[in-house]
């Protein structure tokens, strides 16, 4: 099946899951400082801020990570930050966002990743994972996971469907993994099947992902998709991640249903 995260049914699914997570207390809502481009009159999302990496001193690091050393970053950590819109130094302004407290998930993620154990049960064989995946993910955990904002101040995207969410949208890498679920829903409706059988049936379904050598995809699938789908929503988790150095370009939103 081919599907798009710009579709109406995906927007609806993403908003429904956001509300479910909000009801479960999965998020922390807080005010923080964020870079703002005065010339363009808008707050700057992570990828709209570049600067020198505080870890490896590489120029051109983004506000969410450094492509050179793979470190996850906050835009506030960048040295000499610049707006990619105007090319000028942005100013700091206060704004409010919803955060996923990744630091609260470190312990069980580490055990699940290294040993394949979740809540005392063996759920996968860690030997089936690429060494690069476990090594990179454990380095992030050991350095300390930080709360991750899953909303943005933008005029495009999926609207945040709660009071206080006016003029805010869901972070694209929060809603993108939900595309796996919304695509399954679409397929199930067309085939007269139940999508829950493929996402909530622990006996019959395994989800495999093949990722390019991109740290952002690895981080976002492991540390956002996994806590949301497994620990909070109790949806099924991916059990094997393939992390290849060289594979052909393809859309990460392709979904193979067997």
């Amino acid at each position: 099946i081919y599907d798009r995260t710009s579709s109406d049914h995906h927007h609806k699914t993403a908003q429904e899951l956001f509300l479910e997570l909000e009801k479960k207390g999965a998020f922390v809502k807080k005010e923080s400082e964020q870079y703002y481009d005065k010339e363009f009159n808008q707050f700057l999302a992570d990828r709209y801020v570049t600067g020198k990496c505080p870890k490896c001193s590489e120029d051109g690091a983004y506000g969410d990570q450094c492509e050179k050393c793979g470190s996850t970053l906050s835009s506030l950590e960048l040295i000499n930050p610049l707006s990619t819109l105007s090319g000028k130094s942005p100013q700091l302004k206060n704004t409010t966002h919803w955060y996923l407290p990744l630091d609260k998930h470190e312990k069980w993620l580490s055990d699940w990743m290294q040993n394949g154990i979740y809540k005392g049960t063996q759920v996968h064989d860690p030997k089936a994972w690429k060494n690069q995946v476990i090594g990179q993910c454990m380095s992030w955990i050991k350095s300390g996971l930080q709360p991750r904002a899953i909303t943005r101040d933008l005029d495009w995207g999926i609207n945040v469907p709660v009071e206080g969410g006016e003029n805010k949208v869901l972070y694209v890498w929060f809603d993108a993994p939900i595309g796996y679920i919304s695509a399954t829903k679409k397929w199930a409706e067309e085939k007269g099947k139940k999508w829950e059988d493929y996402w909530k049936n622990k006996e019959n379904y395994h989800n495999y992902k093949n990722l390019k050598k991109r740290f952002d995809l690895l981080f976002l699938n492991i540390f956002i998709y996994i806590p949301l789908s497994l620990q909070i929503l109790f949806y099924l988790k991916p059990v094997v991640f393939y992390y290849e150095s060289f594979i052909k370009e393809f859309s990460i939103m392709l979904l193979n249903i067997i």
Side-chain angles (χ1 to χ4, degrees):
I1 181 174
Y2 175 78
D3 202 17
R4 301 175 63 91
T5 55
S6 58
S7 65
D8 289 341
H9 71 268
H10 172 73
H11 280 224
K12 180 181 178 182
T13 299
Q15 289 179 326
E16 288 173 347
L17 293 189
F18 175 89
L19 291 172
E20 184 176 349
L21 289 163
E22 175 77 346
K23 184 178 180 179
K24 290 177 179 289
F27 303 131
V28 175
K29 183 182 178 183
K30 64 178 182 179
E31 184 179 89
S32 62
E33 288 187 317
Q34 185 176 335
Y35 282 121
Y36 183 87
D37 192 317
K38 187 176 181 180
E39 184 173 319
F40 278 76
N41 193 33
Q42 73 174 64
F43 282 99
L44 299 173
D46 305 329
R47 289 267 160 171
Y48 286 82
V49 184
T50 62
K52 181 179 288 187
C53 175
K55 309 289 186 180
C56 71
S57 299
E58 178 75 7
D59 286 323
Y62 290 102
D64 59 350
Q65 73 166 28
C66 175
E67 302 288 353
K68 177 70 179 296
C69 67
S71 297
T72 57
L73 302 171
S74 160
S75 59
L76 299 182
E77 296 179 89
L78 293 176
I79 301 170
N80 299 324
L82 294 174
S83 165
T84 62
L85 298 180
S86 65
K88 299 178 180 179
S89 298
Q91 66 183 74
L92 287 172
K93 291 184 67 174
N94 287 337
T95 186
T96 300
H97 284 294
W98 282 258
Y99 288 76
L100 180 64
L102 295 177
D103 49 312
K104 294 183 179 181
H105 299 280
E106 284 183 356
K107 185 175 180 180
W108 73 263
L109 274 170
S110 178
D111 199 26
W112 174 76
M113 194 173 305
Q114 292 188 103
N115 306 312
I117 295 175
Y118 176 65
K119 291 187 176 181
T121 301
Q122 191 76 39
V123 294
H124 76 86
D125 180 6
K127 293 181 180 179
W129 286 42
K130 294 287 186 178
N131 291 332
Q132 302 98 306
V133 172
I134 295 178
Q136 182 62 57
C137 291
M138 289 309 302
S139 72
W140 282 322
I141 289 178
K142 290 176 181 178
S143 65
L145 298 178
Q146 300 299 316
R148 187 92 171 203
I150 53 85
T151 57
R152 294 291 187 272
D153 292 293
L154 293 171
D155 57 5
W156 59 269
I158 300 177
N159 295 326
V160 176
V162 293
E163 184 178 351
E166 298 80 9
N167 301 317
K168 298 183 187 295
V169 299
L170 300 181
Y171 177 34
V172 65
W173 281 116
F174 166 79
D175 84 78
I178 295 173
Y180 299 120
I181 297 175
S182 62
T184 308
K185 282 186 172 183
K186 177 183 177 182
W187 173 85
E189 289 175 1
E190 293 175 351
K191 301 296 182 179
K193 298 179 180 292
K194 295 181 179 180
W195 71 271
E196 292 90 347
D197 290 344
Y198 296 87
W199 281 93
K200 297 184 179 182
N201 189 333
K202 296 182 179 181
E203 300 299 325
N204 298 328
Y205 183 71
H206 295 287
N207 185 1
Y208 295 83
K209 292 179 181 294
N210 197 337
L211 304 179
K212 296 192 306 177
K213 191 176 182 181
R214 281 183 55 185
F215 292 120
D216 58 340
L217 297 187
L218 183 63
F219 184 88
L220 292 161
N221 275 275
I222 290 284
F223 295 116
I224 291 184
Y225 177 69
I226 299 301
L228 292 180
S229 64
L230 178 58
Q231 178 73 358
I232 303 172
L233 289 173
F234 302 105
Y235 288 5
L236 232 19
K237 75 290 178 188
V239 293
V240 179
F241 275 82
Y242 294 100
Y243 187 54
E244 303 293 349
S245 295
F246 302 99
I247 62 175
K248 293 181 179 180
E249 293 282 343
F250 66 97
S251 170
I252 65 166
M253 292 313 298
L254 287 178
L255 180 66
N256 293 314
I257 301 176
I258 300 176

